[in-house]
Amino acid sequence: MTPSTSSPVLPPATVTASTTPAPAAATAPASAPPAEQPAATADAAATPLGLWATQDNKGNVQIEQCGQNLCGYAEKSREPILINMKPSNNKWTGRIHDPDGGSNYDSTIALKGPNTLKVQGCAFGGLFCGGQTWKRIS
């Protein structure tokens, strides 16, 4: 009867002891994400990604990542406004759509602060240019 009274039944208790560190391991990753969020907020302020109010309050433009470039869409209609804006030094270059006139123009956008965006459109190879200053909403 010694085989039935053998103490190898204790290894399951060892399994219980090995499950005790698991909750501690689950606690460590949970504290890591809050440290990353302030960095993401700082990155958003360094790019034009977000929602912008146009200069004359004719509508808001949502600027989003589209591949390696940026695109901007009218907030309500999702009509393309900024088209294929490529990063170039401290600005982005591409095309801008004028919803009032229906034409597209060469364009540049540049951050002038975390909440200010200078938007410029040019026609005829840069002979005629106009610009606006947009304010960040979010």
Side-chain angles (χ1 to χ4, degrees):
M1 297 217 137
T2 19
S4 64
T5 58
S6 64
S7 291
V9 178
L10 292 177
T14 309
V15 172
T16 308
S18 69
T19 58
T20 306
T27 308
S31 62
E36 294 175 19
Q37 278 191 309
T41 305
D43 289 343
T47 69
L49 297 176
L51 186 61
W52 296 86
T54 60
Q55 183 170 308
D56 297 328
N57 292 322
K58 288 189 173 186
N60 299 332
V61 176
Q62 178 69 43
I63 299 178
E64 304 171 355
Q65 197 76 40
C66 55
Q68 294 181 354
N69 302 323
L70 300 179
C71 296
Y73 302 93
E75 180 185 32
K76 292 181 181 177
S77 68
R78 294 295 293 169
E79 179 179 11
I81 303 297
L82 298 173
I83 305 161
N84 202 26
M85 303 300 287
K86 298 177 178 97
S88 172
N89 297 327
N90 293 328
K91 61 183 177 181
W92 290 261
T93 60
R95 306 279 287 165
I96 189 166
H97 176 73
D98 175 12
D100 293 335
S103 298
N104 293 340
Y105 302 99
D106 292 331
S107 177
T108 60
I109 60 172
L111 284 170
K112 297 299 180 188
N115 298 315
T116 306
L117 185 68
K118 179 67 177 171
V119 180
Q120 185 173 20
C122 296
F124 304 112
L127 292 175
F128 299 101
C129 296
Q132 288 190 350
T133 300
W134 295 357
K135 300 291 181 190
R136 187 186 298 271
I137 296 173
S138 64

